[in-house]
Amino acid sequence: MAQLLDGASKLGWVLLRAVVRFVFMFFNNCVAIPSYCLYLLLLQPLRIWDSYTFWHIEGVMFKWLLGMVSSWGWVAGYTVTEWGDDVRPISEEAAMVIVNHQSTGDVCTLMMCLQDKGTVVRKMMWLMDHVFKYTNFGLVSLIHGDFFIRQGKAHRDKQLVYLKDHLDKYYHSRDRKWIVLFPEGGFLRKRRETSQSFAKKHSLPHLTHVTLPRLGATHVILKTLSAQQENGSLGCETRTTNQTANKHKGLQWVIDVTIAYPKARPMDIQTWIFGYRPPTVTHVHYRMYPIKDVPVEAEALTDWLYQRFVEKEELLTYFYDKGSFPPLEGQKEAASRQMTLDPVWLCSIQFFAFASGYMWYSVLQYLYCCLF
């Protein structure tokens, strides 16, 4: 009887905490996202006069919004431990980031672990499934300039053309640096069987913890954003009259990110919202490749990309067996880094969001009363 009461008490506490978290996040979204949109609407004259400054301000607010999402997991005890190469020294350089994809929680994990990487979050561009366009964060991503890609053979060729046009139009003009994509094209649980059948048919490696990546988007990004030589020098683009001419060097790195969850149990967005899972440490492994070592030709790039996911398979197999990632070449022991967030900063951006929501509500209410 005592055990039954204890179990009921714990369940009641989990449910109460989940309800409180959901209510807070609902209101958090209701004040933060409209405030972001209204601030940018107010700043439209600045966008015409000095677009560089406008997108700088937008990037800062975008980072704050992603910081709020990170805080939801951080408060529940969901933290990140990092392994492999230290990517912070190249945070200001242009990079393509390829990530394995297991669940909706992967995006939240990246939002958290990239917060302490300089200006990465405010200057990054995401490639994600078009379904996310219809979520609460979809409008923010549209304004920020992320690209929503539609899956399926029927849309593949057109989507790649749209992606190239999108990169040409927004990547340099909005001063983007890191571009994040999931080459597998879907969640592991949904694509594993199809991927394994394809691998068997074409005598490719049998993968369990990842799936074979798709080439299309990766190829377009490399061809579009790699440095173009013009008369022996890099091409350049002139910014606004308030900015000096800036030479875009193109992509300088490919960053291979491998996300591992304890016991191979991916964390989804529902877990981040309701916090019903006990405190969990997600492990993120980085490996950096200079762009000069990455082939651009389709066939060579396919082999290179397949090899990266074979390595991911080996990394994840090692992790699930040992509980840690293997040491880097030349190291005897693998060194990990605990990723932390500043609680004062998290509280400050939450306060700013609710204060902004109240301010905009008061302004709109006043305008409504004046007009009607």
Side-chain angles (χ1 to χ4, degrees), residues 98 139 153 223:
I98 55 175
L139 180 59
K153 291 182 180 179
K223 287 190 68 176

Side-chain angles (χ1 to χ4, degrees), residues 100-131:
N100 63 312
H101 208 10
Q102 301 178 66
S103 72
T104 50
D106 298 339
V107 175
C108 299
T109 297
L110 288 172
M111 287 180 178
M112 174 182 281
C113 67
L114 296 179
Q115 285 291 334
D116 66 345
K117 308 296 187 295
T119 62
V120 164
V121 173
R122 68 178 179 85
K123 291 187 176 185
M124 74 193 311
M125 179 183 285
W126 296 79
L127 264 68
M128 59 189 80
D129 192 276
H130 79 287
V131 172

Side-chain angles (χ1 to χ4, degrees), residues 108-370:
C108 299
T109 297
L110 288 172
M111 287 180 178
M112 174 182 281
C113 67
L114 296 179
Q115 285 291 334
D116 66 345
K117 308 296 187 295
T119 62
V120 164
V121 173
R122 68 178 179 85
K123 291 187 176 185
M124 74 193 311
M125 179 183 285
W126 296 79
L127 264 68
M128 59 189 80
D129 192 276
H130 79 287
V131 172
F132 288 97
K133 186 189 298 186
Y134 308 105
T135 65
N136 61 318
F137 218 76
L139 180 59
V140 173
S141 291
L142 279 171
I143 295 172
H144 183 70
D146 296 330
F147 184 77
F148 298 92
I149 192 163
R150 187 181 291 272
Q151 304 291 341
K153 291 182 180 179
H155 308 284
R156 190 170 300 161
D157 293 338
K158 283 187 178 180
Q159 290 298 300
L160 296 179
V161 173
Y162 295 154
L163 173 59
K164 185 184 185 308
D165 292 343
H166 186 89
L167 294 173
D168 288 335
K169 187 175 182 181
Y170 297 119
Y171 182 82
H172 290 310
S173 66
R174 298 187 182 184
D175 194 30
R176 299 297 177 239
K177 295 294 183 184
W178 286 22
I179 181 165
V180 182
L181 70 153
F182 302 92
E184 291 165 292
F187 299 140
L188 173 64
R189 69 180 185 276
K190 294 182 177 180
R191 291 207 63 244
R192 178 159 40 200
E193 186 176 341
T194 303
S195 175
Q196 290 174 346
S197 297
F198 180 86
K200 185 177 181 180
K201 183 178 178 180
H202 294 86
S203 301
L204 294 169
H206 179 86
L207 305 176
T208 302
H209 305 304
V210 294
T211 64
L212 289 170
R214 295 174 177 176
L215 179 68
T218 306
H219 192 211
V220 169
I221 291 169
L222 287 173
K223 287 190 68 176
T224 306
L225 300 183
S226 293
Q228 300 296 317
Q229 299 290 332
E230 294 178 2
N231 299 324
S233 61
L234 290 169
C236 66
E237 175 182 326
T238 304
R239 285 183 180 165
T240 63
T241 55
N242 291 346
Q243 304 295 324
T244 58
N246 176 53
K247 291 185 177 181
H248 293 292
K249 298 179 181 179
L251 292 176
Q252 295 168 272
W253 300 90
V254 172
I255 302 174
D256 186 7
V257 178
T258 303
I259 300 176
Y261 297 96
K263 300 180 181 179
R265 290 180 58 210
M267 189 176 298
D268 53 29
I269 188 65
Q270 295 95 316
T271 307
W272 277 70
I273 293 173
F274 295 107
Y276 49 76
R277 187 182 292 189
T280 303
V281 179
T282 302
H283 298 261
V284 179
H285 184 277
Y286 303 95
R287 185 170 286 171
M288 304 187 306
Y289 297 91
I291 198 68
K292 63 181 178 63
D293 296 339
V294 182
V296 178
E297 296 76 16
E299 186 175 347
L301 178 60
T302 300
D303 293 339
W304 186 89
L305 198 58
Y306 279 179
Q307 185 57 38
R308 300 291 72 77
F309 276 78
V310 169
E311 291 174 0
K312 285 179 181 291
E313 176 79 10
E314 294 169 352
L315 285 170
L316 290 168
T317 300
Y318 187 99
F319 176 84
Y320 296 139
D321 182 45
K322 306 287 187 182
S324 65
F325 283 109
L328 295 173
E329 188 176 348
Q331 293 182 350
K332 292 184 178 179
E333 264 184 45
S336 63
R337 305 174 296 276
Q338 185 67 34
M339 188 270 157
T340 59
L341 294 172
D342 182 359
V344 175
W345 177 72
L346 293 178
C347 291
S348 298
I349 59 175
Q350 292 287 3
F351 175 80
F352 180 77
F354 282 99
S356 296
Y358 177 76
M359 180 197 74
W360 284 114
Y361 172 78
S362 301
V363 169
L364 294 175
Q365 184 183 45
Y366 175 77
L367 290 176
Y368 178 84
C369 292
C370 289

